[in-house]
Amino acid sequence: MSRDVVVLGVGMHPWGKWGRHFVEYGVHAARAALADAGVEWREVGFISGAATMRCGYPGYVAGATFAQALGWQGAEVNTSYAACASGSQALAAARAKILAGDCEVALVVGADTTPKGFLAPAKGYRPDDPDWVRFYVGITNPTYFALYARRRMALYGATEQDFTAIKVKNAAAGVHNVNARYRKAFSADEVMSSAMVADPLRLLQICATSDGGAAVVIASAAYAKRLGVKRPVRIAAISTVTPRFASGEVEMPDIATDSAVAAEAHSFRASIALKAYAEAGIGPEDVSLAEVYDLASSMELDWYEYLHLCKTGEAEGLLRSGATAIGGRIPVNPSGGLASFGEAVPAQALAQVCEVVWQLRGAAGARQVKKAKVGITANQGLFGHGSSVLLKR
Amino acid sequence: MTDRQRRAAIEGWYTLEKDQPHLLGSRCVACGTFFFPKLSTFCRNPVCDSTAFESVPLSRTGRLWSYTSASYQPPEPYVAAVPFVPFAIAAVTLEHEKMTVLGQVVEGCGVDQLQVGMQMELVVETLHQTEALDVVVWKWRPLGALTGSAS
Ligand SMILES: [Zn+2]
């Protein structure tokens, strides 16, 4: 009981390519989350922002930026940056503050305004930065996704039809999500006839970048009780693990893996959820739904295995059985996933939490997963940031 | 193509021999871990506190772990030819070093000529050109292929 931190409210600004300032999306989402929680902003003791690197100095100090925009009220502040995992790091910081007894209610916010096209590195000749080197030699983000996809095809018999089926599945769910950027169903033919980007991956199997904002209000169990909240969604665990040497898989943005001469090779992504399961005392067999990072449709297959929803090499079978669609045994990405959202880096991990909370409350409408009791999120931030949030009700 | 001067795109990462070039890595003298790119400060093996490294050439051949293509022109700092020519990309596992290294695949070798598990070897080839010289980088090609195309 003492380790229970509850989610009082969640809110989002719809994803899109709105071209407005990121603070606008963040404040919109924060106000929605506060309203959902029934908590006044002035009651919040700690504001935790997920940083964006693309919106100038206000983005580097996102926590304070959002606090000022909401109106300075003296709350303590934090800003976290962990690339795609920034949102869960900001959430972990707020949860730790509550668990330490330092604050009773906290607001976590992430928002971004994104440029068009490929995400490119900072300029200059910078051979010491692996992110610069890999772009210089022509290795973009889809390169990594495609290497994993081709490997699955060779080892486990994944097909282009499988990758397409995931896009079709997630797009069909996203149609019902008012916060999704693309609310359009796709046929397999449409996906398969889109342009090849990084063989075997096509344009419609790779996620875009989006503007968007998401926010979460969390509190101590005692605070929730005083508010009279019945059966709130609880945070059962958060994993923010780093890799373990020797990291044996090619990870963006590296040009090479660790050498496993002196230490055994480990799979970083397979370790992320294990920490969350262990902390919560909950196993993959207890999970009702998952929100995972389908940067490319093919990577959803990897996540089935990394979340231990099936054994290694069995993800294709799980997909083909229909188990991971809404109505199946273990729906994955009922929000529509990145396929329907496009990535808004600092907001995305929080958006995953928002979806799980709505699902566990039974408030997901046409996307509702039946009898949802436990939900897990998973993503990975560049440069070794694991991210997984386990929620239960 | 024959007499133009060549310069490494990334200084010190590989040798420039036209015949049998190799990547330049480093090796921890205490625990034996290899590093590419080179490391010269603190060993990254968490149970090793060594600060001593030797420069070593890495194996020239390995097995194809996976591969893909760059079908669209990558953004800067990539310097694209006009018009852009798509290329393949390989991830090759070096058995001795127990590590996987990415790189472009040589010109003229597309994904249809690649297969996971096949033997690959290292070459140095033009990444882009300036008026005066060829800026070269390490690339992979199927072992035994005489030019860009697999034999
Ligand atoms: Zn060492």
Side-chain angles (χ1 to χ4, degrees):
Chain A
M1 190 66 190
S2 63
R3 278 190 70 79
D4 272 1
V5 167
V6 309
V7 180
L8 287 181
V10 291
M12 290 172 67
H13 182 288
W15 264 227
K17 212 76 178 176
W18 312 112
R20 299 203 303 275
H21 200 243
F22 80 100
V23 179
E24 224 181 293
Y25 314 137
V27 171
H28 177 103
R31 288 184 167 195
L34 288 164
D36 184 42
V39 168
E40 298 287 342
W41 159 235
R42 62 178 175 272
E43 299 296 319
V44 170
F46 186 68
I47 179 160
S48 191
T52 166
M53 295 296 121
R54 288 192 282 260
C55 302
Y57 215 113
Y60 308 155
V61 293
T65 299
F66 295 133
Q68 184 188 33
L70 287 160
W72 294 124
Q73 45 83 310
E76 289 195 88
V77 66
N78 165 72
T79 298
S80 298
Y81 188 70
C84 306
S86 299
S88 41
Q89 295 244 328
L91 183 66
R95 176 174 175 252
K97 196 81 174 163
I98 291 170
L99 286 174
D102 237 8
C103 124
E104 286 206 298
V105 58
L107 171 64
V108 188
V109 191
D112 205 8
T113 303
T114 47
K116 280 194 156 69
F118 279 119
L119 296 179
K123 302 220 181 271
Y125 180 77
R126 296 183 295 108
D128 293 336
D129 177 357
D131 201 38
W132 182 90
V133 169
R134 56 114 173 181
F135 274 106
Y136 186 35
V137 301
I139 294 173
T140 60
N141 294 7
T143 302
Y144 295 86
F145 314 154
L147 289 172
Y148 305 145
R150 175 61 64 181
R151 180 88 181 156
R152 283 207 78 87
M153 293 171 85
L155 260 61
Y156 309 126
T159 64
E160 293 183 61
Q161 285 71 27
D162 291 330
F163 309 151
T164 296
I166 287 166
K167 171 67 176 188
V168 169
K169 168 181 80 71
N170 292 352
V175 165
H176 304 293
N177 194 334
V178 293
N179 290 309
R181 173 175 171 190
Y182 305 104
R183 299 184 60 194
K184 177 184 180 315
F186 282 96
S187 70
D189 280 350
E190 283 174 286
V191 178
M192 288 295 281
S193 58
S194 65
M196 190 67 86
V197 173
D199 194 285
L201 298 178
R202 294 172 183 277
L203 190 61
L204 286 175
Q205 295 162 337
I206 297 171
C207 95
T209 58
S210 295
D211 297 1
V216 179
V217 175
I218 62 172
S220 65
Y223 187 94
K225 201 173 174 188
R226 284 208 306 281
L227 273 187
V229 182
K230 301 256 186 306
R231 290 188 61 227
V233 172
R234 290 166 291 161
I235 298 175
I238 301 180
S239 168
T240 59
V241 292
T242 49
R244 189 180 292 252
F245 187 87
S247 187
E249 280 160 14
V250 186
E251 298 280 2
M252 195 160 74
D254 294 334
I255 212 84
T257 63
D258 288 340
S259 149
V261 165
E264 205 183 323
H266 294 275
S267 162
F268 172 42
R269 272 159 292 170
S271 72
I272 294 170
L274 288 179
K275 190 269 176 177
Y277 288 134
E279 183 187 343
I282 288 174
E285 66 282 0
D286 302 316
V287 171
S288 320
L289 72 128
E291 282 285 315
V292 306
Y293 234 50
D294 54 326
L295 290 164
S297 303
S298 50
M299 290 172 75
E300 190 175 300
L301 293 169
D302 296 329
W303 284 115
Y304 295 169
E305 297 172 5
Y306 297 142
L307 289 179
H308 307 275
L309 305 177
C310 65
K311 293 197 179 78
T312 302
E314 294 181 356
E316 288 76 13
L318 191 70
L319 170 75
R320 293 169 196 162
S321 77
T324 57
I326 294 171
R329 179 172 62 77
I330 168 70
V332 176
N333 283 332
S335 70
L338 293 173
S340 303
F341 277 77
E343 189 187 22
V345 172
Q348 210 68 48
L350 294 173
Q352 293 182 317
V353 171
C354 290
E355 175 67 11
V356 173
V357 169
W358 282 317
Q359 290 285 351
L360 298 186
R361 286 176 178 172
R367 310 189 310 280
Q368 186 61 48
V369 172
K370 287 207 178 70
K371 296 181 186 166
K373 291 192 174 63
V374 174
I376 190 166
T377 75
N379 84 21
Q380 178 193 9
L382 233 64
F383 294 101
H385 294 98
S387 159
S388 179
V389 181
L390 193 51
L391 298 125
K392 63 180 178 182
R393 187 170 180 219
Chain B
M1 291 293 269
T2 45
D3 293 312
R4 279 170 63 87
Q5 282 208 322
R6 303 192 310 159
R7 170 171 73 73
I10 305 165
E11 203 67 47
W13 280 38
Y14 40 92
T15 62
L16 296 180
E17 298 103 321
K18 291 197 170 160
D19 194 32
Q20 311 233 325
H22 45 75
L23 295 171
L24 295 170
S26 58
R27 186 176 166 273
C28 172
V29 299
C31 75
T33 297
F34 290 90
F35 295 94
F36 180 76
K38 273 184 204 168
L39 190 67
S40 58
T41 48
F42 306 98
C43 183
R44 290 182 183 173
N45 179 352
V47 299
C48 177
D49 61 3
S50 169
T51 56
F53 301 87
E54 56 186 355
S55 285
V56 287
L58 302 185
S59 302
R60 292 195 58 260
T61 61
R63 270 187 201 285
L64 188 57
W65 185 83
S66 191
Y67 59 92
T68 181
S69 64
S71 304
Y72 276 76
Q73 182 177 322
E76 287 178 27
Y78 182 76
V79 183
V82 183
F84 168 69
V85 182
F87 54 91
I89 296 167
V92 175
T93 303
L94 310 180
E95 198 179 344
H96 177 62
E97 292 82 359
K98 292 193 179 168
M99 70 195 300
T100 300
V101 181
L102 303 190
Q104 287 193 15
V105 175
V106 287
E107 277 177 49
C109 179
V111 291
D112 53 335
Q113 294 170 53
L114 300 173
Q115 205 168 6
V116 169
M118 75 194 292
Q119 287 279 342
M120 303 289 282
E121 71 176 319
L122 194 89
V123 297
V124 165
E125 194 180 72
T126 302
L127 176 64
H128 61 89
Q129 296 183 312
T130 69
E131 274 181 29
L133 44 76
D134 292 341
V135 180
V136 298
V137 77
W138 83 93
K139 295 189 185 181
W140 297 106
R141 80 171 165 203
L143 183 63
L146 292 178
T147 63
S149 49
S151 50

